[in-house]
Short mmCIF file of all heavy atoms in Angstrom, two decimals:
data_model
loop_
_atom_site.label_atom_id
_atom_site.label_comp_id
_atom_site.label_asym_id
_atom_site.label_seq_id
_atom_site.Cartn_x
_atom_site.Cartn_y
_atom_site.Cartn_z
N GLY A 209 146.57 -126.20 -155.39
CA GLY A 209 146.04 -127.43 -154.81
C GLY A 209 145.89 -128.51 -155.87
O GLY A 209 145.20 -128.33 -156.87
N LYS A 210 146.54 -129.63 -155.66
CA LYS A 210 146.47 -130.74 -156.60
C LYS A 210 145.85 -131.94 -155.89
O LYS A 210 146.31 -132.37 -154.84
CB LYS A 210 147.86 -131.11 -157.11
CG LYS A 210 147.89 -132.31 -158.06
CD LYS A 210 147.11 -132.04 -159.35
CE LYS A 210 147.22 -133.21 -160.33
NZ LYS A 210 146.42 -133.01 -161.54
N ALA A 211 144.77 -132.47 -156.47
CA ALA A 211 144.11 -133.63 -155.88
C ALA A 211 144.99 -134.86 -156.04
O ALA A 211 145.49 -135.15 -157.13
CB ALA A 211 142.76 -133.85 -156.55
N ARG A 212 145.19 -135.58 -154.94
CA ARG A 212 145.94 -136.84 -154.96
C ARG A 212 144.94 -137.97 -154.69
O ARG A 212 144.32 -138.01 -153.62
CB ARG A 212 147.03 -136.84 -153.89
CG ARG A 212 147.94 -135.62 -153.96
CD ARG A 212 149.04 -135.70 -152.92
NE ARG A 212 148.56 -135.95 -151.58
CZ ARG A 212 148.14 -135.00 -150.74
NH1 ARG A 212 148.12 -133.74 -151.14
NH2 ARG A 212 147.73 -135.30 -149.52
N ALA A 213 144.79 -138.87 -155.65
CA ALA A 213 143.67 -139.81 -155.57
C ALA A 213 144.12 -141.27 -155.46
O ALA A 213 145.19 -141.66 -155.94
CB ALA A 213 142.78 -139.65 -156.79
N ASP A 214 143.27 -142.05 -154.80
CA ASP A 214 143.40 -143.51 -154.74
C ASP A 214 142.06 -144.13 -155.13
O ASP A 214 141.03 -143.80 -154.56
CB ASP A 214 143.75 -143.98 -153.32
CG ASP A 214 145.11 -143.50 -152.85
OD1 ASP A 214 146.00 -143.37 -153.70
OD2 ASP A 214 145.25 -143.25 -151.65
N ASN A 215 142.07 -145.03 -156.14
CA ASN A 215 140.87 -145.78 -156.51
C ASN A 215 139.70 -144.87 -156.84
O ASN A 215 138.61 -144.99 -156.28
CB ASN A 215 140.49 -146.75 -155.37
CG ASN A 215 139.41 -147.73 -155.79
OD1 ASN A 215 139.35 -148.13 -156.94
ND2 ASN A 215 138.55 -148.10 -154.85
N THR A 216 139.91 -143.90 -157.76
CA THR A 216 138.85 -142.96 -158.11
C THR A 216 138.35 -143.16 -159.54
O THR A 216 137.98 -142.21 -160.22
CB THR A 216 139.32 -141.51 -157.91
OG1 THR A 216 140.57 -141.31 -158.59
CG2 THR A 216 139.48 -141.18 -156.45
N ASP A 217 138.30 -144.40 -159.98
CA ASP A 217 137.66 -144.74 -161.26
C ASP A 217 136.20 -145.06 -160.96
O ASP A 217 135.77 -146.21 -160.98
CB ASP A 217 138.38 -145.94 -161.90
CG ASP A 217 137.75 -146.33 -163.23
OD1 ASP A 217 136.96 -145.53 -163.77
OD2 ASP A 217 138.04 -147.45 -163.70
N PHE A 218 135.42 -144.00 -160.72
CA PHE A 218 134.05 -144.19 -160.26
C PHE A 218 133.14 -144.82 -161.31
O PHE A 218 132.14 -145.45 -160.98
CB PHE A 218 133.46 -142.85 -159.78
CG PHE A 218 134.15 -142.29 -158.57
CD1 PHE A 218 134.96 -141.18 -158.67
CD2 PHE A 218 133.98 -142.87 -157.32
CE1 PHE A 218 135.59 -140.64 -157.56
CE2 PHE A 218 134.61 -142.35 -156.21
CZ PHE A 218 135.41 -141.23 -156.32
N ASP A 219 133.44 -144.60 -162.58
CA ASP A 219 132.57 -145.13 -163.63
C ASP A 219 133.11 -146.43 -164.23
O ASP A 219 132.60 -146.92 -165.26
CB ASP A 219 132.33 -144.10 -164.74
CG ASP A 219 133.64 -143.57 -165.31
OD1 ASP A 219 134.71 -144.08 -164.91
OD2 ASP A 219 133.59 -142.66 -166.15
N ASP A 220 134.16 -146.99 -163.65
CA ASP A 220 134.71 -148.30 -164.07
C ASP A 220 135.08 -148.37 -165.54
O ASP A 220 134.86 -149.38 -166.21
CB ASP A 220 133.71 -149.42 -163.74
CG ASP A 220 133.43 -149.53 -162.25
OD1 ASP A 220 134.40 -149.43 -161.47
OD2 ASP A 220 132.27 -149.72 -161.88
N ASP A 221 135.66 -147.27 -166.05
CA ASP A 221 136.09 -147.29 -167.45
C ASP A 221 137.60 -147.47 -167.56
O ASP A 221 138.17 -147.34 -168.65
CB ASP A 221 135.66 -146.01 -168.17
CG ASP A 221 136.29 -144.76 -167.56
OD1 ASP A 221 137.00 -144.88 -166.53
OD2 ASP A 221 136.07 -143.66 -168.11
N GLY A 222 138.25 -147.76 -166.45
CA GLY A 222 139.69 -147.98 -166.45
C GLY A 222 140.52 -146.73 -166.40
O GLY A 222 141.75 -146.78 -166.50
N ILE A 223 139.88 -145.57 -166.24
CA ILE A 223 140.58 -144.28 -166.20
C ILE A 223 140.31 -143.60 -164.86
O ILE A 223 139.16 -143.50 -164.42
CB ILE A 223 140.14 -143.36 -167.35
CG1 ILE A 223 140.42 -144.02 -168.70
CG2 ILE A 223 140.86 -142.02 -167.27
CD1 ILE A 223 139.88 -143.23 -169.87
N ASP A 224 141.36 -143.12 -164.22
CA ASP A 224 141.21 -142.37 -162.97
C ASP A 224 140.43 -141.09 -163.26
O ASP A 224 140.85 -140.26 -164.06
CB ASP A 224 142.60 -142.04 -162.42
CG ASP A 224 142.55 -141.26 -161.11
OD1 ASP A 224 141.45 -140.93 -160.65
OD2 ASP A 224 143.63 -140.97 -160.56
N ASP A 225 139.29 -140.92 -162.59
CA ASP A 225 138.44 -139.77 -162.86
C ASP A 225 139.06 -138.44 -162.44
O ASP A 225 138.58 -137.38 -162.85
CB ASP A 225 137.09 -139.95 -162.15
CG ASP A 225 136.28 -141.08 -162.77
OD1 ASP A 225 136.52 -141.42 -163.94
OD2 ASP A 225 135.40 -141.62 -162.07
N THR A 226 140.10 -138.46 -161.62
CA THR A 226 140.73 -137.21 -161.19
C THR A 226 142.03 -136.92 -161.93
O THR A 226 142.67 -135.90 -161.69
CB THR A 226 141.03 -137.24 -159.68
OG1 THR A 226 142.05 -138.23 -159.43
CG2 THR A 226 139.79 -137.56 -158.88
N ALA A 227 142.42 -137.80 -162.86
CA ALA A 227 143.72 -137.66 -163.54
C ALA A 227 143.83 -136.36 -164.32
O ALA A 227 144.91 -135.77 -164.42
CB ALA A 227 143.95 -138.84 -164.47
N ALA A 228 142.72 -135.91 -164.91
CA ALA A 228 142.75 -134.70 -165.73
C ALA A 228 142.41 -133.44 -164.94
O ALA A 228 142.28 -132.36 -165.53
CB ALA A 228 141.79 -134.86 -166.91
N PHE A 229 142.24 -133.56 -163.63
CA PHE A 229 141.88 -132.39 -162.83
C PHE A 229 142.98 -131.33 -162.90
O PHE A 229 144.16 -131.64 -162.70
CB PHE A 229 141.69 -132.78 -161.36
CG PHE A 229 140.34 -133.35 -161.03
CD1 PHE A 229 139.44 -133.67 -162.02
CD2 PHE A 229 139.97 -133.56 -159.71
CE1 PHE A 229 138.20 -134.19 -161.72
CE2 PHE A 229 138.73 -134.08 -159.39
CZ PHE A 229 137.84 -134.40 -160.39
N PRO A 230 142.63 -130.08 -163.17
CA PRO A 230 143.61 -129.00 -163.05
C PRO A 230 143.84 -128.68 -161.56
O PRO A 230 143.18 -129.24 -160.69
CB PRO A 230 142.93 -127.83 -163.76
CG PRO A 230 141.47 -128.08 -163.55
CD PRO A 230 141.30 -129.58 -163.57
N LYS A 231 144.76 -127.78 -161.29
CA LYS A 231 144.99 -127.38 -159.91
C LYS A 231 143.91 -126.41 -159.45
O LYS A 231 143.36 -125.64 -160.23
CB LYS A 231 146.37 -126.73 -159.77
CG LYS A 231 147.51 -127.72 -159.99
CD LYS A 231 148.86 -127.08 -159.78
CE LYS A 231 149.97 -128.09 -159.94
NZ LYS A 231 151.31 -127.49 -159.70
N MET A 232 143.63 -126.44 -158.15
CA MET A 232 142.60 -125.58 -157.58
C MET A 232 143.14 -124.17 -157.36
O MET A 232 144.33 -123.97 -157.12
CB MET A 232 142.10 -126.15 -156.24
CG MET A 232 141.54 -127.55 -156.34
SD MET A 232 141.04 -128.19 -154.72
CE MET A 232 139.53 -127.24 -154.45
N LYS A 233 142.24 -123.19 -157.40
CA LYS A 233 142.60 -121.81 -157.11
C LYS A 233 141.34 -121.02 -156.83
O LYS A 233 140.23 -121.40 -157.23
CB LYS A 233 143.38 -121.18 -158.27
CG LYS A 233 142.63 -121.18 -159.59
CD LYS A 233 143.52 -120.65 -160.70
CE LYS A 233 142.79 -120.69 -162.04
NZ LYS A 233 143.65 -120.18 -163.14
N GLY A 234 141.50 -119.89 -156.13
CA GLY A 234 140.35 -119.04 -155.83
C GLY A 234 140.55 -118.24 -154.56
O GLY A 234 141.57 -118.35 -153.87
N GLY A 235 139.56 -117.42 -154.25
CA GLY A 235 139.64 -116.54 -153.09
C GLY A 235 138.93 -117.11 -151.88
O GLY A 235 138.19 -118.09 -151.96
N PHE A 236 139.15 -116.46 -150.73
CA PHE A 236 138.52 -116.89 -149.48
C PHE A 236 138.49 -115.72 -148.49
O PHE A 236 139.19 -114.72 -148.66
CB PHE A 236 139.27 -118.08 -148.87
CG PHE A 236 140.71 -117.79 -148.52
CD1 PHE A 236 141.06 -117.21 -147.31
CD2 PHE A 236 141.72 -118.11 -149.42
CE1 PHE A 236 142.39 -116.94 -147.00
CE2 PHE A 236 143.05 -117.85 -149.11
CZ PHE A 236 143.38 -117.25 -147.90
N GLY A 237 137.66 -115.86 -147.47
CA GLY A 237 137.59 -114.85 -146.42
C GLY A 237 137.06 -115.46 -145.15
O GLY A 237 136.28 -116.43 -145.18
N GLY A 238 137.49 -114.94 -144.00
CA GLY A 238 137.05 -115.53 -142.75
C GLY A 238 137.42 -114.71 -141.53
O GLY A 238 137.70 -113.51 -141.63
N GLY A 239 137.44 -115.38 -140.37
CA GLY A 239 137.68 -114.70 -139.10
C GLY A 239 138.71 -115.40 -138.25
O GLY A 239 138.99 -116.59 -138.43
N THR A 240 139.27 -114.65 -137.30
CA THR A 240 140.35 -115.11 -136.43
C THR A 240 140.03 -114.78 -134.98
O THR A 240 139.46 -113.72 -134.69
CB THR A 240 141.67 -114.40 -136.79
OG1 THR A 240 141.98 -114.62 -138.15
CG2 THR A 240 142.82 -114.90 -135.93
N ILE A 241 140.41 -115.66 -134.06
CA ILE A 241 140.42 -115.36 -132.64
C ILE A 241 141.70 -115.94 -132.06
O ILE A 241 142.14 -117.02 -132.47
CB ILE A 241 139.18 -115.93 -131.92
CG1 ILE A 241 139.18 -115.52 -130.44
CG2 ILE A 241 139.09 -117.45 -132.07
CD1 ILE A 241 137.89 -115.83 -129.73
N GLY A 242 142.34 -115.23 -131.14
CA GLY A 242 143.61 -115.71 -130.63
C GLY A 242 144.03 -115.03 -129.35
O GLY A 242 143.36 -114.11 -128.84
N TYR A 243 145.15 -115.50 -128.82
CA TYR A 243 145.72 -114.93 -127.59
C TYR A 243 147.24 -114.90 -127.73
O TYR A 243 147.86 -115.87 -128.17
CB TYR A 243 145.35 -115.77 -126.36
CG TYR A 243 145.89 -115.20 -125.07
CD1 TYR A 243 145.23 -114.16 -124.41
CD2 TYR A 243 147.08 -115.69 -124.51
CE1 TYR A 243 145.73 -113.63 -123.24
CE2 TYR A 243 147.58 -115.16 -123.34
CZ TYR A 243 146.90 -114.13 -122.70
OH TYR A 243 147.41 -113.59 -121.54
N ASN A 244 147.84 -113.77 -127.35
CA ASN A 244 149.29 -113.60 -127.34
C ASN A 244 149.79 -113.46 -125.91
O ASN A 244 149.09 -112.93 -125.04
CB ASN A 244 149.71 -112.34 -128.11
CG ASN A 244 149.53 -112.46 -129.60
OD1 ASN A 244 149.79 -113.50 -130.18
ND2 ASN A 244 149.08 -111.39 -130.23
N TRP A 245 151.03 -113.92 -125.69
CA TRP A 245 151.70 -113.68 -124.40
C TRP A 245 153.13 -113.24 -124.67
O TRP A 245 153.87 -113.90 -125.40
CB TRP A 245 151.71 -114.94 -123.54
CG TRP A 245 152.39 -114.71 -122.21
CD1 TRP A 245 151.85 -114.17 -121.09
CD2 TRP A 245 153.77 -114.97 -121.91
NE1 TRP A 245 152.79 -114.09 -120.08
CE2 TRP A 245 153.98 -114.58 -120.56
CE3 TRP A 245 154.83 -115.52 -122.63
CZ2 TRP A 245 155.21 -114.70 -119.93
CZ3 TRP A 245 156.07 -115.63 -122.01
CH2 TRP A 245 156.23 -115.23 -120.67
N GLN A 246 153.51 -112.11 -124.07
CA GLN A 246 154.86 -111.57 -124.20
C GLN A 246 155.40 -111.24 -122.81
O GLN A 246 154.80 -110.47 -122.07
CB GLN A 246 154.87 -110.32 -125.07
CG GLN A 246 156.27 -109.72 -125.28
CD GLN A 246 156.24 -108.48 -126.14
OE1 GLN A 246 155.17 -107.95 -126.47
NE2 GLN A 246 157.41 -108.01 -126.53
N GLY A 247 156.52 -111.85 -122.45
CA GLY A 247 157.12 -111.58 -121.15
C GLY A 247 157.61 -110.16 -121.05
O GLY A 247 158.02 -109.55 -122.05
N PHE A 248 157.61 -109.60 -119.83
CA PHE A 248 158.05 -108.22 -119.62
C PHE A 248 159.51 -108.07 -120.01
O PHE A 248 160.38 -108.80 -119.55
CB PHE A 248 157.87 -107.82 -118.15
CG PHE A 248 158.29 -106.41 -117.85
CD1 PHE A 248 157.50 -105.35 -118.23
CD2 PHE A 248 159.52 -106.15 -117.23
CE1 PHE A 248 157.89 -104.03 -117.97
CE2 PHE A 248 159.91 -104.86 -116.97
CZ PHE A 248 159.10 -103.79 -117.34
N GLY A 249 159.77 -107.13 -120.91
CA GLY A 249 161.13 -106.87 -121.35
C GLY A 249 161.66 -107.86 -122.38
O GLY A 249 162.82 -107.75 -122.80
N SER A 250 160.84 -108.83 -122.79
CA SER A 250 161.28 -109.83 -123.77
C SER A 250 160.72 -109.51 -125.16
O SER A 250 159.56 -109.10 -125.28
CB SER A 250 160.81 -111.22 -123.36
OG SER A 250 161.06 -112.17 -124.39
N PRO A 251 161.50 -109.72 -126.22
CA PRO A 251 160.98 -109.48 -127.57
C PRO A 251 160.20 -110.67 -128.12
O PRO A 251 159.60 -110.56 -129.19
CB PRO A 251 162.26 -109.26 -128.38
CG PRO A 251 163.28 -110.12 -127.71
CD PRO A 251 162.95 -110.05 -126.23
N PHE A 252 160.19 -111.81 -127.42
CA PHE A 252 159.53 -113.00 -127.93
C PHE A 252 158.04 -113.03 -127.54
O PHE A 252 157.68 -112.72 -126.41
CB PHE A 252 160.23 -114.25 -127.42
CG PHE A 252 161.63 -114.40 -127.94
CD1 PHE A 252 162.71 -114.04 -127.15
CD2 PHE A 252 161.86 -114.85 -129.24
CE1 PHE A 252 164.01 -114.16 -127.63
CE2 PHE A 252 163.16 -114.96 -129.73
CZ PHE A 252 164.23 -114.61 -128.92
N VAL A 253 157.22 -113.40 -128.53
CA VAL A 253 155.77 -113.44 -128.35
C VAL A 253 155.27 -114.85 -128.68
O VAL A 253 155.60 -115.38 -129.75
CB VAL A 253 155.07 -112.40 -129.25
CG1 VAL A 253 153.56 -112.45 -129.05
CG2 VAL A 253 155.60 -111.00 -128.97
N PHE A 254 154.50 -115.43 -127.79
CA PHE A 254 153.94 -116.77 -127.99
C PHE A 254 152.42 -116.67 -128.02
O PHE A 254 151.83 -115.85 -127.29
CB PHE A 254 154.37 -117.71 -126.86
CG PHE A 254 155.87 -117.81 -126.71
CD1 PHE A 254 156.55 -116.97 -125.84
CD2 PHE A 254 156.58 -118.74 -127.45
CE1 PHE A 254 157.93 -117.05 -125.71
CE2 PHE A 254 157.96 -118.83 -127.33
CZ PHE A 254 158.64 -117.98 -126.45
N GLY A 255 151.79 -117.49 -128.85
CA GLY A 255 150.34 -117.36 -128.97
C GLY A 255 149.66 -118.62 -129.46
O GLY A 255 150.29 -119.58 -129.90
N LEU A 256 148.34 -118.58 -129.38
CA LEU A 256 147.47 -119.64 -129.88
C LEU A 256 146.37 -118.98 -130.68
O LEU A 256 145.80 -117.96 -130.25
CB LEU A 256 146.87 -120.44 -128.71
CG LEU A 256 146.00 -121.64 -129.07
CD1 LEU A 256 146.85 -122.72 -129.74
CD2 LEU A 256 145.35 -122.21 -127.81
N GLU A 257 146.07 -119.55 -131.87
CA GLU A 257 145.15 -118.89 -132.80
C GLU A 257 144.23 -119.90 -133.47
O GLU A 257 144.67 -121.00 -133.83
CB GLU A 257 145.97 -118.13 -133.84
CG GLU A 257 145.16 -117.28 -134.80
CD GLU A 257 146.05 -116.47 -135.71
OE1 GLU A 257 146.49 -117.01 -136.74
OE2 GLU A 257 146.34 -115.30 -135.38
N ALA A 258 142.97 -119.54 -133.64
CA ALA A 258 142.00 -120.36 -134.37
C ALA A 258 141.40 -119.52 -135.50
O ALA A 258 141.09 -118.34 -135.31
CB ALA A 258 140.90 -120.87 -133.45
N GLU A 259 141.25 -120.14 -136.66
CA GLU A 259 140.69 -119.44 -137.83
C GLU A 259 139.68 -120.32 -138.55
O GLU A 259 139.80 -121.55 -138.54
CB GLU A 259 141.81 -119.05 -138.80
CG GLU A 259 142.79 -118.04 -138.25
CD GLU A 259 143.81 -117.60 -139.27
OE1 GLU A 259 144.22 -118.43 -140.11
OE2 GLU A 259 144.20 -116.41 -139.24
N ILE A 260 138.71 -119.68 -139.20
CA ILE A 260 137.75 -120.38 -140.04
C ILE A 260 137.44 -119.49 -141.23
O ILE A 260 137.39 -118.26 -141.10
CB ILE A 260 136.46 -120.74 -139.26
CG1 ILE A 260 135.54 -121.61 -140.12
CG2 ILE A 260 135.76 -119.50 -138.75
CD1 ILE A 260 134.38 -122.19 -139.35
N ALA A 261 137.25 -120.11 -142.41
CA ALA A 261 137.04 -119.32 -143.62
C ALA A 261 136.07 -120.02 -144.56
O ALA A 261 136.03 -121.25 -144.64
CB ALA A 261 138.36 -119.09 -144.35
N GLY A 262 135.29 -119.21 -145.26
CA GLY A 262 134.51 -119.68 -146.39
C GLY A 262 135.35 -119.50 -147.64
O GLY A 262 136.15 -118.56 -147.74
N SER A 263 135.18 -120.39 -148.63
CA SER A 263 136.13 -120.41 -149.74
C SER A 263 135.46 -120.56 -151.10
O SER A 263 134.44 -121.23 -151.24
CB SER A 263 137.10 -121.58 -149.53
OG SER A 263 137.84 -121.86 -150.69
N GLY A 264 136.08 -119.91 -152.07
CA GLY A 264 135.71 -120.10 -153.46
C GLY A 264 136.79 -120.84 -154.23
O GLY A 264 136.82 -120.81 -155.46
N ILE A 265 137.70 -121.49 -153.50
CA ILE A 265 138.78 -122.25 -154.14
C ILE A 265 138.20 -123.52 -154.76
O ILE A 265 137.56 -124.31 -154.06
CB ILE A 265 139.87 -122.60 -153.11
CG1 ILE A 265 140.48 -121.34 -152.51
CG2 ILE A 265 140.96 -123.45 -153.75
CD1 ILE A 265 141.46 -121.59 -151.38
N ASP A 266 138.40 -123.72 -156.04
CA ASP A 266 137.80 -124.88 -156.69
C ASP A 266 138.52 -125.21 -158.00
O ASP A 266 139.47 -124.53 -158.40
CB ASP A 266 136.32 -124.66 -156.96
CG ASP A 266 136.05 -123.50 -157.92
OD1 ASP A 266 137.02 -122.89 -158.43
OD2 ASP A 266 134.87 -123.20 -158.17
N LEU A 267 138.06 -126.26 -158.64
CA LEU A 267 138.51 -126.63 -159.97
C LEU A 267 137.34 -127.26 -160.71
O LEU A 267 136.37 -127.73 -160.09
CB LEU A 267 139.68 -127.61 -159.91
CG LEU A 267 139.46 -128.99 -159.26
CD1 LEU A 267 138.79 -130.00 -160.20
CD2 LEU A 267 140.78 -129.56 -158.79
N SER A 268 137.40 -127.28 -162.03
CA SER A 268 136.39 -127.94 -162.84
C SER A 268 137.03 -128.48 -164.11
O SER A 268 138.05 -127.95 -164.58
CB SER A 268 135.24 -126.98 -163.19
OG SER A 268 135.73 -125.88 -163.92
N PHE A 269 136.43 -129.54 -164.62
CA PHE A 269 136.98 -130.19 -165.80
C PHE A 269 135.84 -130.76 -166.63
O PHE A 269 134.90 -131.35 -166.11
CB PHE A 269 137.92 -131.33 -165.39
CG PHE A 269 138.30 -132.24 -166.52
CD1 PHE A 269 139.24 -131.85 -167.46
CD2 PHE A 269 137.71 -133.49 -166.65
CE1 PHE A 269 139.58 -132.68 -168.52
CE2 PHE A 269 138.05 -134.34 -167.70
CZ PHE A 269 138.98 -133.92 -168.63
N VAL A 270 135.92 -130.58 -167.96
CA VAL A 270 134.95 -131.15 -168.90
C VAL A 270 135.72 -131.88 -169.99
O VAL A 270 136.63 -131.32 -170.61
CB VAL A 270 134.05 -130.06 -169.52
CG1 VAL A 270 133.13 -130.68 -170.55
CG2 VAL A 270 133.25 -129.34 -168.45
N ASP A 271 135.34 -133.13 -170.23
CA ASP A 271 135.96 -133.91 -171.29
C ASP A 271 135.30 -133.56 -172.62
O ASP A 271 134.11 -133.83 -172.82
CB ASP A 271 135.79 -135.40 -171.00
CG ASP A 271 136.55 -136.28 -171.97
OD1 ASP A 271 136.94 -135.79 -173.05
OD2 ASP A 271 136.76 -137.47 -171.66
N PRO A 272 136.02 -132.94 -173.56
CA PRO A 272 135.40 -132.53 -174.83
C PRO A 272 134.94 -133.72 -175.68
O PRO A 272 134.11 -133.56 -176.58
CB PRO A 272 136.51 -131.75 -175.54
CG PRO A 272 137.78 -132.24 -174.92
CD PRO A 272 137.45 -132.57 -173.51
N ALA A 273 135.46 -134.90 -175.38
CA ALA A 273 135.10 -136.06 -176.19
C ALA A 273 133.67 -136.53 -175.95
O ALA A 273 132.95 -136.88 -176.89
CB ALA A 273 136.08 -137.21 -175.90
#
Side-chain angles (χ1 to χ4, degrees):
K210 178 63 176 177
R212 308 183 308 275
D214 295 327
N215 190 33
T216 51
D217 180 14
F218 295 108
D219 54 5
D220 298 318
D221 62 356
I223 301 174
D224 180 357
D225 292 337
T226 67
F229 277 9
K231 293 183 177 181
M232 302 177 74
K233 58 185 178 180
F236 60 85
T240 303
I241 184 170
Y243 181 81
N244 289 320
W245 180 83
Q246 181 180 9
F248 180 75
S250 172
F252 295 100
V253 180
F254 303 92
L256 184 66
E257 186 175 84
E259 295 185 325
I260 186 170
S263 166
I265 300 174
D266 63 3
L267 63 81
S268 60
F269 168 76
V270 176
D271 187 343

